[in-house]
Amino acid sequence: MISEGSAFLDRSGRVLAMDASFRAQLRLGAGDPSVALHERARTEPALSSLLAGEGPDAARLAGSEERGESGCELTRVPGSGGLLLHARRSAAALPAPAIEYAMQALALARLAASVSHEVKNPLNAMALQVALLGDKIGSSSEALATACANNLASLKTQIGRVNEVVRRFLDVADPAPASSFDAGALLADAAVLFVHEARRRRFTLSCDASGGSVRAHADPARTARLIVGLLWRAVAGTPEGGSLVASAHATGEEAVLALEGAPGTLAGPLAWIGGVAAASAGEMGGRLVEMSSEVADRVVLVLPRELS
């Protein structure tokens, strides 16, 4: 059994097979793997030497601290029919910013749970007091009850809105451990949390996903981190006046979560998020598909579907 992070090449340099982990670690774009690998080799002398059979059988490709990209170590195993390339990323190879982002993500998830708890308790107390106040006003005088009805209703509505935002935030930041989850609800909750940022950047963010639309058989916490990262990259790359659409649906044995936006959405300084998401999706038995055209950019996170 070949270990994860491998690519097979024939003697001409054509890629015969390449797994998702290898593609992600070398940050190879979508499309023909042979073309993507040799395009990368043009800017990486170490990779070029490995492909040409020159120099030592091991080399290291550097990452980019600015973009949060980690480097990887490549090993070449030559054979009579071609060669095997194996990519390995170690914790020591990660640039400091990437480690800091990971630490921050873990800390923020726990902080979110604490903040949500501290906010929900006062909200519940406020809702109870509003209900008691409504009963007291209603029993005192019909005129006073009529005069205060709209104000009390408005208070109840606003308390409900804040409570819902807190719930969405907690469900996205720190989902409960499980082997499956409601993927449509998770995407919808995450998208709603970015609506204010979309308004601030003056573009439209809409979501065609809802609870119960599709369930995925995967790690909900890990998936939530991927969705937040992919949404943030898309939000940051959507131009003013543009639009971004999130959607979720089921296809056969797959749960499909998609983002579609303006051309260029997948590029920019946050492009590295795609490589991280691709590697993570592969480890959960899924995949990440990214497509760019003159009309739109589309990213699709595919996960195993929970079948009832």
Side-chain angles (χ1 to χ4, degrees), residues 245-265:
V245 180
S247 62
H249 66 274
T251 301
E253 298 183 352
E254 297 179 333
V256 181
L257 308 178
L259 297 173
E260 185 167 328
T265 301

Side-chain angles (χ1 to χ4, degrees), residues 129-153:
Q129 293 302 317
V130 168
L132 293 174
L133 185 59
D135 290 341
K136 290 180 180 180
I137 292 175
S139 62
S140 60
S141 120
E142 184 176 345
L144 181 59
T146 302
C148 295
N150 289 338
N151 302 91
L152 291 175

Side-chain angles (χ1 to χ4, degrees), residues 117-179:
H117 177 77
E118 293 302 320
V119 172
K120 286 178 73 68
N121 280 349
L123 282 177
N124 291 335
M126 290 167 63
L128 177 60
Q129 293 302 317
V130 168
L132 293 174
L133 185 59
D135 290 341
K136 290 180 180 180
I137 292 175
S139 62
S140 60
S141 120
E142 184 176 345
L144 181 59
T146 302
C148 295
N150 289 338
N151 302 91
L152 291 175
S154 179
L155 282 172
K156 291 180 181 178
T157 299
Q158 296 308 315
I159 290 173
R161 287 183 60 188
V162 175
N163 194 59
E164 180 63 12
V165 170
V166 171
R167 189 219 34 101
R168 290 179 184 271
F169 180 61
L170 182 59
D171 285 352
V172 171
D174 192 25
S179 60

Side-chain angles (χ1 to χ4, degrees), residues 11 16 25 30 39 50 60 69-70 75 77 84 117 128 132 136 152 167 169 197 203 221 245 247 250 263:
R11 299 182 66 178
L16 300 177
Q25 290 187 64
E39 282 291 329
L50 285 177
R60 186 175 185 278
E69 297 172 348
S70 62
T75 304
V77 183
L84 163 69
H117 177 77
L128 177 60
L132 293 174
K136 290 180 180 180
L152 291 175
R167 189 219 34 101
F169 180 61
E197 183 65 19
F203 72 85
V245 180
S247 62

